[in-house]
Amino acid sequence: MKKFISGNDAAVQGALASGAQAMYGYPITPSTEILQIWSEEADKNDRLIFLQTEDETTAGFAVNGSVLMGVKAFTATSGPGTVLMQDGLSMAENLRLPTVTIVMQRGGPSTGQVNYSQQELNLAVFGGNGEGLRIVYSAGTPQEMYDFTLEAFDSAWRYKFPTLVLGDGYIGKQKTEVELKHPLNPYQNSSLLAGKNLRNCYSSEEQFYEYLSKNILDFEEKSSLIARSESIGPKNAPELIVAHGSVFFVIREALKVIDPKSKKYQLFRPVTLRPFPKQDLKVAARGKKKIWFFESSYGQLYHLVSAELDAASVSAKIIKVFKPAYRFLPEDIADSLKGGK
Amino acid sequence: MNYKTMPKCYKNSSKPHFFCPGCGHAMILKQLGSTIDELKISAEVVFGIDIGCSLLAWDFFDFDTIQTHHGRVIPVMIGVKKANPKKVAVAYMGDGGGYAIGLQSLIHAAYRDDPVVAILVNNTNYAMTGGQMAPTTFPGEITTTSSSGKKSSGFGNYLDGLKLLSSVADQSAYLERVSVSNPRQIVSAFKKAFETSDKNHFSFIEILSICPTNWKTDAADSFEFLKNMEDKFPVQKYPLGE
Ligand SMILES: Cc1ncc(C[n+]2csc(CCOP(=O)(O)OP(=O)(O)O)c2C)c(N)n1
Ligand code: SF4
């Protein structure tokens, strides 16, 4: 079924289709519609749970509580709200709680700007006081807000890691046709607490080291099942462009004009920022003369992958086009690529 | 434009201001400006603003102003006052900023008797983000997150912040609730608050305000709604230590 809806609405529809039952949140532009639409759904349907909390910290921890009881629960936020969510997310990482957090990025630091950015990558991936044992999808269109929310609920409950869907204000507010494919088989949820004594704090370094190492190992092992990328254009192109989220789609549009015969550029995006599709990037980077990074942050994506490129001894010239908290239009991409720097 | 009737501490270059027509914030800021003019303290005032529609006041006055972070204007102003006790620290916020996300900071400032003048504008909703329910929203009130009216069960009745603070604030603090329907009373409450700050104590003024945009009310209905607020939230000086 196709519907003409916003990216924020698509995220709610994705959550509903995944069997989400509870949502806790606090208003913040540009993700507020997720809260509003869920509250309207909950008004119509007694099975759905909704609470507008007094702040994001409470929302994050309430999600943890519901998930412990086996209920698919999520929250949605942005910017300074994403900062406050880190508390709950850290607990979820430590206890392997399958929470889902939808993040519609806005400009920072602090209250910055309410429209758009790609500056919450670091927070999404490594925001807690730990090792980033989280799954992070980067959506680029309203359709992907739907699709990746489905995938997020599935991965969260399947692998038991807190999972985030990263969107941005443009995607959230933009309305397009979205195909609402129902998942055939949403992953089954069940109580994580029944018959158990769980704890979030250990009394010795040794005990905790053992526990944490197991989680890290598990994350590493599951990574190859989760990590995903997408690539457009010829694999033997001389130049590689790396971008994520909505910037990927802007570049895709630009390339239709700049490289209509699809000869010069291969365009690569990580679909999951965490675990990162390292292998795919290494393969894409192989033999390239130039590698471009386009992002609406000051190198958060680049820093996430530069170590991988070094490790793969990539000798390409790296060109960074960073516009922190600023949009890209296809013509900006064309100008940068033509300028060659 | 002729600004003769406007407070002297207004920054003329930022007028006309950006608040919606009929917004209570603009009325309140005018009374604040007049009070500061009258007390001749504009050189001492440091004006701190939360985020909410109060953001629109960031360049409203010609005195030192800092717009901060949601719910955190009080702690920032505590830092300002501690660093320079000669300053008069004013913390201006909405009911979402003060009674939801920033409630912990507000309670502790009252409890410690931090010498900050806290001003909270209660319009029973989160106006800036498009009219979601707030802790002050009345049962049955329709907002963008209570589409069939706020249910008190599960979402609370409506929070009387002054009642709450009066049980924790120090005996020397000053707590009062006023309404935009009575500008004179606003000025007199502000004066009391500044006096209290002079004596190094905490003061808190809640002002019942009007938000025609999110209430979707015309002038008459706005004041009708305000009257209803005045019935539910006692407009009075609050006793302490009870
Ligand atoms: C940590 C954080 N969460 C959420 C927001 C989004 N936000 C900005 S203003 C606001 C509510 C404002 O409501 P209120 O304090 O009642 O003031 P009003 O706009 O009604 O005057 C919210 C939730 C934010 N800026 N920061
Ligand atoms: S939305 Fe409401 S509080 Fe905000 S400026 Fe308009 S009338 Fe005032």
Side-chain angles (χ1 to χ4, degrees), chain A residues 213-230:
Chain A
S213 301
K214 232 168 41 198
N215 286 342
I216 292 174
L217 183 68
D218 198 26
F219 189 80
E220 294 288 342
E221 279 174 6
K222 301 288 165 25
S223 287
S224 61
L225 301 172
I226 305 165
R228 195 147 78 69
S229 70
E230 184 185 347

Side-chain angles (χ1 to χ4, degrees), chain A residues 42-98:
Chain A
D43 256 350
K44 292 183 287 196
N45 180 348
D46 282 345
R47 207 187 70 87
L48 299 181
I49 303 164
F50 166 63
L51 185 63
Q52 183 184 315
T53 54
E54 69 276 22
D55 58 22
E56 290 85 350
T57 311
T58 300
F61 283 102
V63 171
N64 288 352
S66 286
V67 158
L68 276 165
M69 300 315 286
V71 165
K72 286 188 179 173
F74 75 109
T75 185
T77 193
S78 176
T82 312
V83 175
L84 294 180
M85 285 295 173
Q86 298 309 322
D87 254 0
L89 279 167
S90 256
M91 173 182 161
E93 267 185 46
N94 200 24
L95 286 160
R96 305 277 306 259
L97 304 181

Side-chain angles (χ1 to χ4, degrees), chain A residues 26-29 56 78 80-81 84 106 111, chain B residues 25 50-54 69-70 93-98 101 121 123 125-129 132 134:
Chain A
Y26 189 78
I28 185 160
T29 312
E56 290 85 350
S78 176
L84 294 180
R106 61 185 258 170
T111 324
Chain B
H25 275 291
D50 208 81
I51 179 129
C53 286
S54 56
H69 197 93
H70 193 35
M93 71 208 89
D95 48 320
I101 191 167
V121 177
N123 54 18
N125 77 87
Y126 289 75
M128 167 127 279
T129 42
Q132 295 77 29

Side-chain angles (χ1 to χ4, degrees), chain B residues 24-233:
Chain B
H25 275 291
M27 307 177 196
I28 293 160
L29 291 166
K30 184 174 178 194
Q31 304 315 320
L32 182 65
S34 315
T35 313
I36 288 171
D37 277 357
E38 195 184 327
L39 300 177
K40 299 191 174 55
I41 52 170
S42 68
E44 285 80 52
V45 166
V46 179
F47 190 42
I49 305 175
D50 208 81
I51 179 129
C53 286
S54 56
L55 159 68
L56 303 175
W58 80 272
D59 62 349
F60 203 88
F61 295 113
D62 241 337
F63 41 70
D64 298 354
T65 303
I66 167 74
Q67 187 256 319
T68 62
H69 197 93
H70 193 35
R72 300 298 157 222
V73 63
I74 289 182
V76 173
M77 297 325 285
I78 290 171
V80 163
K81 183 74 179 176
K82 294 236 182 241
N84 188 346
K86 289 200 194 100
K87 290 289 182 188
V88 178
V90 180
Y92 185 87
M93 71 208 89
D95 48 320
Y99 290 154
I101 191 167
L103 183 60
Q104 178 188 18
S105 299
L106 176 59
I107 290 177
H108 281 273
Y111 164 67
R112 286 186 304 250
D113 199 29
D114 292 322
V116 166
V117 175
I119 300 170
L120 183 146
V121 177
N122 177 358
N123 54 18
T124 75
N125 77 87
Y126 289 75
M128 167 127 279
T129 42
Q132 295 77 29
M133 75 179 134
T136 44
T137 301
F138 297 124
E141 197 179 330
I142 289 174
T143 68
T144 51
T145 48
S146 57
S147 53
S148 53
K150 180 182 175 186
K151 298 178 188 79
S152 55
S153 132
F155 291 92
N157 198 20
Y158 53 91
L159 187 73
D160 184 334
L162 274 157
K163 206 163 144 190
L164 177 70
L165 291 182
S166 66
S167 67
V168 291
D170 187 85
Q171 289 293 329
S172 321
Y174 188 79
L175 310 179
E176 184 173 355
R177 182 184 288 116
V178 292
S179 162
V180 290
S181 67
N182 190 343
R184 279 222 198 113
Q185 201 187 8
I186 298 179
V187 171
S188 100
F190 283 159
K191 283 186 183 163
K192 281 278 190 202
F194 285 121
E195 256 171 53
T196 309
S197 161
D198 260 357
K199 295 181 196 144
N200 261 323
H201 298 291
F202 176 78
S203 57
F204 180 75
I205 311 295
E206 178 187 314
I207 304 167
L208 303 179
S209 181
I210 285 174
C211 176
T213 302
N214 285 303
W215 293 352
K216 301 180 175 61
T217 46
D218 60 14
D221 285 347
S222 294
F223 278 90
E224 199 54 43
F225 193 99
L226 184 66
K227 233 196 294 34
N228 176 35
M229 285 172 74
E230 290 169 3
D231 288 343
K232 297 200 162 88
F233 292 115

Side-chain angles (χ1 to χ4, degrees), chain A residues 238-302:
Chain A
E239 302 187 20
L240 180 70
I241 304 173
V242 185
H244 77 105
S246 59
V247 177
F248 171 85
F249 288 91
V250 177
I251 299 173
R252 196 181 73 172
E253 284 312 298
L255 289 183
K256 285 181 190 163
V257 177
I258 308 165
D259 191 19
K261 295 203 177 114
S262 197
K263 288 202 161 134
K264 192 166 174 195
Y265 301 103
Q266 181 186 353
L267 174 59
F268 176 91
R269 77 188 284 211
V271 168
T272 52
L273 293 165
R274 182 88 178 145
F276 195 85
K278 297 176 199 172
Q279 211 42 46
D280 298 356
L281 179 66
K282 279 181 201 165
V283 170
R286 208 172 282 157
K288 294 288 191 287
K289 291 205 176 67
K290 281 185 189 168
I291 302 179
W292 299 77
F293 283 88
F294 283 88
E295 53 181 303
S296 295
S297 74
Y298 202 68
Q300 297 191 21
L301 174 67
Y302 171 71

